[in-house]
């Protein structure tokens, strides 16, 4: 059978998952990644049961689940260490039908690339869209090696997607969310700790264990766009969080300043008119960059990939006008709602006026008295998602 060609622009989590999903459905897939290698940023990523179920479709869900490291208690704290809301790994897993898994991004990339044929990923290859194509002509891309054609182009080129801009030049684009983030992966502190997220005035810190004995620590604070510490980012973190409860000071003491990554938060608050045009499907941050406050950006990219492959499953009978419109119809409303919810949650976590922070702590505490399940309900409708099921072939 003649194989139909899909080109994925961008070898991040979304692009690699799309490549695996399309390859399993019979497409001949090439991933073009502009970076010299696939080494992702040295940070963790939380995959919730929704993304794990999507990965089940690809036969990869259990490889992620076995990396679950959170056991016992955890929850939300105040900077002085008071618990505002407590929950535990068992309650979270029971609520969502599976564990919340924190893994290193490099591990996820390894799991995804292991499911691709040799040579499917071409690094050091930036691609730009020359023509999105339509039902009657292929899409065309320009690469450093010349022009290339494909029946399907997956634009997974990230938050600053040039493909998005080429397809929807009138869209207002990214908005600065008013805050910046820091991330680091280091060996676990010697003194035991419970996984936590701690909310202060205009600041947040989280510490989560990884299966390999390290921890993933992340922080967020309100800040003007483009700011950088006058000395180094470890010193900035010490100024902002050095007086917070255990294990924050112990972690900061152990951090090498060169390991601390800082990124401003931007999001696509205004939805795109569609996630496709011609033979091009946008996916992941290229389509719906969101604040990290729900930890769903990567999860949604993985959902996108599996839903896209579901609609494009019969490569020979692929009709872009019909199949990619079905992809947009499935994904745009859901991801728009999650972008908005992430923005609302982000605004709540970044409250800085003292009375508002005190009221927030009281409310979180009051809600948690009704049981840990309630604290987790902000994720209702997100983590309980199930992938679409392919119709049975005609008898
Ligand atoms: C602080 C922070 C914490 C987060 N925590 C979580 C979390 O816990 N859980 C979660 O699900 N999400 C989380 N996210 C969001 C998540 O990181 C992103 O949503 C996810 O990485 C998006 O994946 P992507 O594949 O769409 O884009 P990217 O991972 O950005 O990949 C895009 C790729 O495209 C490549 N590229 C760009 N242009 C071109 C071109 N012209 N040609 C070829 N290649 C190109 C880039 O080099 C890059 O490799 C977090 C984000 C932040 C900032």
């Amino acid at each position: 059978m003649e194989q139909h060609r899909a080109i994925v622009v961008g070898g991040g989590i979304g692009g690699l998952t799309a490549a695996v999903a399309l390859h399993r459905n019979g497409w001949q897939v090439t991933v073009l990644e502009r970076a010299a290698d696939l080494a992702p940023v040295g940070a963790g990523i939380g995959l919730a049961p929704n993304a794990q179920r999507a990965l089940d479709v690809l036969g990869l869900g259990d490889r992620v689940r076995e990396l679950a490291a959170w056991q016992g208690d955890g929850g939300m704290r105040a900077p002085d260490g008071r618990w505002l809301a407590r929950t535990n790994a068992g309650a979270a897993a029971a609520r969502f039908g599976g564990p919340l898994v924190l893994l290193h991004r490099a591990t996820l990339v390894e799991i995804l690339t292991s499911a691709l044929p040799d040579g499917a990923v071409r690094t050091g290859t930036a691609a730009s869209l020359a023509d999105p194509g339509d039902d009657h002509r292929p899409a065309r891309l320009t690469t450093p090696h010349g022009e290339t054609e494909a029946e399907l182009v997956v634009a997974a080129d990230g938050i600053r997607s040039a493909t998005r801009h080429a397809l929807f030049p009138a869209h207002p684009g990214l908005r600065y969310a008013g805050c910046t983030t820091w991330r680091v992966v280091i060996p676990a502190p010697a003194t035991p700790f419970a996984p936590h997220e701690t909310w202060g005035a205009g600041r947040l810190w989280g510490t989560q264990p990884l299966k390999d004995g390290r921890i993933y620590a992340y922080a967020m604070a309100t800040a003007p766009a483009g700011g950088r510490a006058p000395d180094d980012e470890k010193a900035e973190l010490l100024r902002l969080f050095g007086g917070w409860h255990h294990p924050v000071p112990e972690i900061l003491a152990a951090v090498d300043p060169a390991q601390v990554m800082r990124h401003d938060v931007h999001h696509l608050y205004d939805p795109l008119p569609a996630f496709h045009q011609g033979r091009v499907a946008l996916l992941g941050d290229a389509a719906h960059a969101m604040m990290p406050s729900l930890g769903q950006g990567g999860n949604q990219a993985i959902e996108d990939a599996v839903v896209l492959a579901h609609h494009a499953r019969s490569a020979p009978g692929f009709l872009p006008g019909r199949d990619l419109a079905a992809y947009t119809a499935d994904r745009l409303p859901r991801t728009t709602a999650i972008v908005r919810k992430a923005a609302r949650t982000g605004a709540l976590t970044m409250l800085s006026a003292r009375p508002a922070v005190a009221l927030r702590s009281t409310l979180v505490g009051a809600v948690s008295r009704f049981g840990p399940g309630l604290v987790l309900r902000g994720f209702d409708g997100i983590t309980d998602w199930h992938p679409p099921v392919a119709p049975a072939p005609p008898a």
Side-chain angles (χ1 to χ4, degrees):
M1 190 182 78
E2 190 197 346
Q3 271 205 313
H4 289 252
R5 186 156 190 237
I7 296 183
V8 179
V9 181
I13 290 161
L16 292 174
T17 312
V20 175
L22 291 166
H23 167 65
R24 284 177 68 93
N25 286 0
W27 288 84
Q28 184 208 323
V29 182
T30 307
V31 179
L32 304 179
E33 165 56 51
R34 77 175 164 199
D37 57 47
L38 285 185
V41 293
I45 182 159
L47 293 187
N50 52 317
Q52 294 165 29
R53 288 185 207 104
L55 290 170
D56 282 336
V57 176
L58 313 181
L60 301 174
D62 284 343
R63 285 186 64 188
V64 167
R65 284 186 194 95
E66 69 197 21
L67 296 170
W70 177 24
Q71 288 170 343
D73 286 346
M76 288 169 56
R77 308 183 76 165
D80 62 8
R82 259 176 315 128
W83 287 96
L84 300 174
R86 296 196 82 150
T87 185
N88 60 66
R95 185 76 182 76
F96 301 133
L100 298 164
V101 181
L102 235 298
L103 69 166
H104 198 284
R105 283 173 187 253
T107 311
L108 181 56
V109 165
E110 210 176 284
I111 290 172
L112 293 169
T113 48
S114 72
L116 284 172
D118 285 348
V121 180
R122 291 191 200 148
T123 53
T125 309
S128 59
L129 189 65
D131 177 2
D134 62 21
D135 278 1
H136 310 290
R137 64 175 202 284
R140 282 186 298 114
L141 290 164
T142 308
T143 77
H145 314 294
E147 234 181 50
T148 182
E149 290 185 350
E151 274 89 352
L152 172 63
V153 168
V154 180
D157 49 350
I159 188 163
R160 299 194 182 276
S161 167
T163 319
R164 176 179 72 227
H165 185 67
L167 294 181
F168 303 108
H171 183 267
L174 294 172
R175 276 196 210 177
Y176 182 53
C179 48
T180 195
T181 60
W182 296 266
R183 288 175 283 178
V184 69
V185 173
I186 60 162
T191 329
F193 72 95
H196 68 102
E197 197 167 279
T198 299
W199 291 9
R203 288 174 224 177
L204 169 158
W205 179 285
T207 314
Q208 309 291 340
L210 298 174
K211 186 81 169 180
D212 63 9
R214 292 181 293 174
I215 54 143
Y216 169 46
Y218 53 92
M220 187 153 93
T222 51
R228 285 293 171 268
D231 32 21
D232 63 60
E233 297 302 335
K234 172 177 176 170
E236 183 74 357
L237 287 171
L238 278 165
R239 283 189 285 274
L240 292 169
F241 301 96
W244 284 28
H245 65 82
H246 170 74
V248 182
E250 195 176 333
I251 292 168
L252 282 174
V255 163
D256 169 0
Q259 287 179 299
V260 181
M261 291 181 309
R262 176 171 176 171
H263 290 100
D264 286 351
V265 179
H266 292 86
H267 56 165
L268 272 185
Y269 191 80
D270 304 297
L272 293 171
F275 286 174
H276 75 285
Q277 198 182 107
R279 289 178 178 269
V280 182
L282 286 161
L283 162 161
D285 279 5
H288 46 64
M290 59 187 74
M291 288 186 73
S293 38
L294 298 171
Q296 276 289 319
N299 283 260
Q300 291 305 308
I302 291 170
E303 285 188 16
D304 289 343
V306 165
V307 174
L308 174 63
H310 167 80
H311 289 297
R313 68 183 168 276
S314 50
F318 175 58
L319 261 185
R322 176 197 65 195
D323 299 340
L324 298 187
Y327 165 69
T328 285
D330 262 7
R331 298 305 300 160
L332 198 140
R334 172 168 169 78
T335 53
T336 301
I338 297 174
V339 167
R340 297 281 165 93
K341 189 164 195 178
R344 285 196 300 276
T345 308
L348 185 70
T349 55
M350 288 296 105
L351 284 176
S352 53
R354 278 189 190 285
V357 172
L359 180 63
R360 181 185 68 190
S361 300
T362 309
L363 283 176
V364 170
V367 167
S368 75
R369 273 198 286 281
F370 295 101
L374 278 179
V375 180
L376 303 167
R377 285 203 180 152
F379 291 98
D380 273 358
I382 298 179
T383 53
D384 50 7
W385 178 89
H386 282 76
V389 178

